[in-house]
Amino acid sequence: MRLTLHVWRQASGSPSGRFERYDMPDADEHMSFLEMLDVLNNRLIEQGKDPIAFEHDCREGICGSCGMVINGRPHGPVQRVTACQLHMRSFKDGDDIWLEPWRARAFPVLKDLVVDRSAFDRIIQAGGYISIRTGAAPDANAVPIPKRDADSAMDAAACIGCGACVAACPNGSAMLFTAAKISHLGLLPQGQPERFSRVLDMVGTMDEEGFGSCTNHGSCEAACPKGISLDFIARLNRDLIRATLGKGMEVEAPAGGAG
Amino acid sequence: MARVSAFYRSTVGKKVLMAITGFVLLGFVVVHMIGNLKAFMGAEYFNTYAEALRALGAPFFGHGQALWLFRIVLLGSVLIHAFFGIQLWLVSNRARPIGYEKTPYLQTTAASLTMRWGGLLIGGYVVYHLMHLTIGNVNPDFIPGDAYHNLVVGFESTTAAAAYVIAVFVLALHLYHGTWSALQTLGLNHPKYNSWRRGIAAVLAIVLLVGFATVPVAVQLGVLK
């Protein structure tokens, strides 16, 4: 199939960029989206041109590296699919395809379609951990966990940190990511000691990083390749209220003794 | 206290205050709508009701005191709601300095996308509305104390009636997203009644739209005169 690509090109270290047009006369419908870009890049290299930079790693939809806005949708037109798992059969002969990086102040563009998502790492560092005892591994299932909580925690833990939620949000908010990370620990007994300091610290870092303010559009949920639910955002809000005004006030310090 | 100040500084804490003040104002518009509908009970009934509002809380409160107390709470709520709304609007504007070439606005609604401009519009309309029917300086024939007369004269102008209906439509849109959004912000969700939240917001918005719009439409049709 013949495609016309409009790709955001931005040199490394440059604050601005522009769209460039590329013809792709022979894309195969069995190609993955990234394979199609690989073919285009090979041609650019053969012509002595700078290939299009895009991030990728596992190409199995689980690492969260790949991510670009394809025709206005993070990860492209298919729901619950990462860009690497998108296939060219989702496009038609003659289509125009616009490729843009995630647009957010907290995600500066490194080059072309690659953005720096370290802001997410700093949110995780602020509270995405639990206190555990050292020593021998405990018996499996020694800690009883209600099935519903276990399922819900797993749903939240499905977040791969790709940043599609921020990219899709009209406000550039990172609430869905932060909510997923807070919930997958906060739903389990092992995550209780830091539950309330975690939400305060992670939300504080999220705000400091320059993400926008959530207005509950739900675009993040629609764009999320892992189907993370907006319900986790309500849970984050609830935990933050409790951490400030309710039960969580009593928990002042994380578990564990001083070094 | 450190936690309370961290909460206040966070975007989430500000939204919680917006949600709480939003519910105060929602409560007010529901009562306001019910009050409006008393116009259909006749001029005498309506004016007695208007006078009773001023006499509210007597004899503990003096004439108009309780009403002023409510007004101060409402004004405070409006100011808090608008202040944080604008502040968070600026935060979100700064969060995406370079926009998209292609933006589909996934899962957004007309209501969710018009919250900020709609809110400003409602605020602006309320100022006019007070000058029209409470202070009366933009009403063609305002008689202090004769609420029914002021209402009928006020809405005999097609422009004034149309502006009212449009403002109420914007308000209904604001409340459709706002009610749901405020429940979400306060963390009031549960798998058992999550599906009800949008429905409750929709019913509320429609009831308020119809309830408010009925009065100016009735004046225009000559039902109220």
Side-chain angles (χ1 to χ4, degrees):
Chain A
M1 62 173 101
R2 173 175 284 276
L3 300 167
T4 308
L5 274 68
H6 306 265
V7 184
W8 181 260
R9 302 304 306 263
Q10 184 169 341
S12 186
S14 164
S16 59
R18 64 195 169 89
F19 283 99
E20 256 179 56
R21 206 186 123 119
Y22 298 95
D23 283 321
M24 188 71 197
D26 52 354
D28 190 296
E29 63 173 11
H30 300 300
M31 284 174 171
S32 79
F33 196 81
L34 299 190
E35 282 167 349
M36 185 273 295
L37 288 178
D38 290 338
V39 171
L40 175 62
N41 272 347
N42 274 338
R43 286 178 192 160
L44 289 175
I45 293 166
E46 281 165 12
Q47 293 164 15
K49 290 177 184 161
D50 191 24
I52 299 160
F54 61 90
E55 202 179 345
H56 61 99
D57 189 16
C58 74
R59 300 205 178 196
E60 290 179 329
I62 52 171
C63 75
S65 297
C66 67
M68 60 190 83
V69 175
I70 303 169
N71 285 344
R73 264 194 94 114
H75 295 297
V78 182
Q79 276 212 319
R80 301 210 176 179
V81 153
T82 54
C84 63
Q85 293 288 291
L86 180 67
H87 285 77
M88 297 315 293
R89 55 180 172 268
S90 302
F91 297 89
K92 294 192 307 291
D93 185 48
D95 271 359
D96 273 44
I97 299 177
W98 291 76
L99 296 182
E100 302 176 68
W102 292 167
R103 298 283 190 202
R105 188 162 66 99
F107 288 165
V109 173
L110 293 175
K111 189 181 183 207
D112 300 340
L113 304 172
V114 182
V115 299
D116 179 359
R117 286 175 292 138
S118 313
F120 270 10
D121 297 339
R122 289 187 289 273
I123 294 174
I124 296 283
Q125 281 163 8
Y129 52 80
I130 58 166
S131 299
I132 53 163
R133 67 191 185 96
T134 52
D139 285 341
N141 299 326
V143 181
I145 300 169
K147 170 76 171 143
R148 203 171 59 195
D149 290 350
D151 285 351
S152 191
M154 281 301 287
D155 288 347
C159 169
I160 54 176
C162 66
C165 45
V166 175
C169 177
N171 299 304
S173 166
M175 280 287 272
L176 194 66
F177 167 80
T178 310
K181 296 304 173 192
I182 282 168
S183 299
H184 90 259
L185 297 175
L187 277 158
L188 299 175
Q190 293 90 338
Q192 294 312 303
E194 293 89 2
R195 179 168 170 189
F196 296 109
S197 59
R198 177 183 303 121
V199 66
L200 285 163
D201 293 342
M202 289 178 81
V203 168
T205 306
M206 176 188 85
D207 287 341
E208 282 165 21
E209 291 293 341
F211 291 104
S213 168
C214 170
T215 56
N216 301 313
H217 287 291
S219 301
C220 50
E221 184 185 54
C224 179
K226 297 295 158 184
I228 307 287
S229 165
L230 278 186
D231 292 343
F232 292 119
I233 295 183
R235 190 186 157 81
L236 176 155
N237 293 333
R238 196 163 60 235
D239 269 9
L240 194 75
I241 294 169
R242 289 179 67 191
T244 318
L245 307 167
K247 192 166 177 281
M249 285 179 82
E250 297 156 18
V251 189
E252 285 298 338
Chain B
M1 272 319 283
R3 286 192 166 193
V4 174
S5 96
F7 177 77
Y8 167 79
R9 277 199 312 275
S10 76
T11 51
V12 177
K14 291 184 171 97
K15 284 199 306 163
V16 167
L17 290 173
M18 285 185 73
I20 293 167
T21 52
F23 276 127
V24 169
L25 297 169
L26 173 64
F28 165 72
V29 291
V30 170
V31 173
H32 187 338
M33 182 203 75
I34 295 166
N36 283 7
L37 294 176
K38 296 188 194 302
F40 290 99
M41 310 284 284
E44 200 183 330
Y45 189 98
F46 190 70
N47 283 343
T48 312
Y49 164 73
E51 179 52 31
L53 286 181
R54 292 191 188 86
L56 205 68
F60 183 80
F61 286 105
H63 192 75
Q65 280 181 355
L67 188 64
W68 269 105
L69 203 65
F70 278 118
R71 284 170 174 169
I72 289 164
V73 170
L74 289 173
L75 183 65
S77 298
V78 168
L79 292 178
I80 291 169
H81 196 76
F83 179 78
F84 289 127
I86 291 168
Q87 204 180 31
L88 293 174
W89 187 353
L90 297 175
V91 166
S92 293
N93 273 354
R94 277 198 299 272
R96 179 165 294 138
I98 302 170
Y100 288 109
E101 186 69 26
K102 302 275 172 197
T103 314
Y105 293 118
L106 303 173
Q107 209 169 305
T108 53
T109 60
S112 75
L113 287 171
T114 54
M115 289 303 277
R116 290 156 177 163
W117 287 108
L120 287 183
L121 202 71
I122 294 162
Y125 181 80
V126 166
V127 174
Y128 161 77
H129 185 56
L130 289 173
M131 297 199 299
H132 189 216
L133 292 170
T134 306
I135 305 163
N137 53 341
V138 296
N139 195 310
D141 181 25
F142 190 81
I143 302 171
D146 193 348
Y148 185 86
H149 166 84
N150 297 336
L151 179 151
V152 171
V153 170
F155 287 139
E156 271 171 356
S157 151
T158 312
T159 322
Y164 187 88
V165 173
I166 291 167
V168 165
F169 179 76
V170 176
L171 177 71
L173 214 56
H174 194 81
L175 292 177
Y176 169 63
H177 184 73
T179 305
W180 181 85
S181 183
L183 289 171
Q184 179 81 358
T185 298
L186 294 175
L188 299 173
N189 77 326
H190 190 278
K192 277 193 181 145
Y193 61 81
N194 271 353
S195 53
W196 286 79
R197 294 187 299 170
R198 293 264 190 202
I200 289 168
V203 168
L204 202 63
I206 291 167
V207 166
L208 286 167
L209 174 63
V210 172
F212 275 116
T214 306
V215 174
V217 168
V219 173
Q220 283 289 313
L221 296 176
V223 180
L224 291 175
K225 55 192 170 215

